[in-house]
Amino acid sequence: MISTPQAIYRDTQGNVRRDIPVEELPAALERAKAGDGWLWADVDGKSESQCSILSSVFQFHPLAIEDALHANSRGKVEDYDGQYLLIILRGVRLCAETEDDPYDTETINVTLFVGRQFLVTVHDERALSVEEVAELVRKNPELLARGPARIAHMIADHTIDAFFPILDSVDEFVDGLEERVFAKFDHSSLQEIFRVKRLVLSLRRFLAPQRDVFNTLSNRPTPLLPPELQIYFRDVYDHVLRINDSLETYRDLLSGTLDAYLSQVSNQLGQVTKGLSVVATLSLPFVVISGMWGMNFEAIPLSHHANGFWLMVAVQLGIGLALVAILRWKKLL
């Protein structure tokens, strides 16, 4: 059975046709290029039969198709001779299946081919941003009147907005971190600090290329995105900058908290070392003197004295306390 991509066609009269068979896509595309509406095709990157239409129907450049089908392609935007824009975005969300690590993330690439009269979206897995926009279009078909560039903007906007729930989770963790580290000194927080710090660094790595993508879409002149449409991408670019600033702040806070945590551990170790030093100092006279008086000789001072044992205990305690006092006076304890 041949897999068919999800396709929507809207003509100039506002009539919307859904689930167009794959054999009718070339005719629909020709009608769109002739100015009689526009076409949106959503392609499953795992289906070879669906991916074949990228070359056979839309005749995209082989390098563009290669980038679209590569799961780890870096975020980018390229203009292919003014015929279409290739936009690759990286979506991210928390992975609910990883129970032992609540801050584990999963990512998915969403590729958009934006032409004057068509939009093609390609993704390997379930892309929530594409699904959400498709659901909005299903409920309100009039959104299609805005054209392919505006629908592409909506998908891009939903892709970037997916970062905000993750930032809320990080913000909630950071808010409770001060009490856990400084008030209760929860030893289990160290592992979570490293997890959240790794999450923040991963988000920054995913977001960095997309900052350049939206900067280009917002400012570089192109016939495919008139200035009145670039304003919408500029709004998404502002979201990217805000997310990036938040991630920078969280990274600094986590690094500072981690340093404070390690300092507390070092201080606690120092307190324990001081306590052991006091015990060792008090024990030293007992070890030395008791060792000397434990030698197998008959002529040992106070060996026949009635209170010799208690005198030796007192002497040893006195020497130990004197040593502790000297060390404290020298500020060594």
Side-chain angles (χ1 to χ4, degrees), residues 249-269:
T249 301
Y250 291 141
R251 187 189 64 169
D252 294 340
L253 286 173
L254 290 170
S255 297
T257 305
L258 180 60
D259 292 341
Y261 181 93
L262 296 177
S263 297
Q264 278 196 297
V265 172
S266 178
N267 291 336
Q268 285 192 341
L269 181 60

Side-chain angles (χ1 to χ4, degrees), residues 266-318:
S266 178
N267 291 336
Q268 285 192 341
L269 181 60
Q271 294 298 325
V272 173
T273 303
K274 280 187 177 182
L276 294 176
S277 299
V278 171
V279 173
T281 303
L282 289 172
S283 302
L284 182 62
F286 288 88
V287 174
V288 175
I289 297 177
S290 297
M292 293 175 61
W293 258 252
M295 293 185 295
N296 193 18
F297 293 103
E298 292 185 1
I300 297 177
L302 302 177
S303 60
H304 300 289
H305 194 282
N307 296 315
F309 172 77
W310 299 111
L311 288 174
M312 293 306 300
V313 170
V315 169
Q316 292 173 95
L317 283 174

Side-chain angles (χ1 to χ4, degrees), residues 179-197:
E179 182 179 359
R180 293 180 61 184
V181 172
F182 298 103
K184 299 180 180 179
F185 195 65
D186 185 0
H187 292 278
S188 64
S189 60
L190 179 61
Q191 187 177 11
E192 290 194 56
I193 291 175
F194 278 113
R195 285 177 176 174
V196 176
K197 189 173 182 181

Side-chain angles (χ1 to χ4, degrees), residues 214-250:
F214 288 105
N215 185 30
T216 301
L217 293 173
S218 302
N219 300 297
R220 181 181 298 175
T222 171
L224 297 170
L225 293 179
E228 61 269 17
L229 285 179
Q230 287 185 311
I231 294 176
Y232 293 95
F233 286 97
R234 193 169 298 129
D235 178 67
V236 183
Y237 180 55
D238 290 340
H239 292 178
V240 172
L241 294 180
R242 191 172 72 184
I243 294 172
N244 185 73
D245 291 342
S246 298
L247 291 175
E248 290 286 346
T249 301
Y250 291 141

Side-chain angles (χ1 to χ4, degrees), residues 71-141:
N72 295 319
S73 293
R74 194 172 185 267
K76 62 190 296 187
V77 55
E78 290 188 9
D79 189 336
Y80 281 83
D81 299 328
Q83 298 179 8
Y84 56 88
L85 289 175
L86 169 67
I87 305 173
I88 299 179
L89 304 176
R90 177 68 65 90
V92 62
R93 65 177 178 177
L94 291 175
C95 186
E97 290 77 13
T98 310
E99 297 180 357
D100 58 335
D101 186 0
Y103 302 104
D104 187 26
T105 57
E106 58 181 354
T107 61
I108 177 174
N109 272 11
V110 178
T111 303
L112 301 95
F113 294 90
V114 185
R116 289 183 177 88
Q117 301 302 130
F118 65 84
L119 169 65
V120 179
T121 52
V122 184
H123 49 89
D124 284 346
E125 300 175 4
R126 201 170 150 231
L128 293 180
S129 58
V130 178
E131 290 184 0
E132 290 169 355
V133 174
E135 181 64 18
L136 289 174
V137 169
R138 187 188 66 81
K139 293 180 178 179
N140 187 8

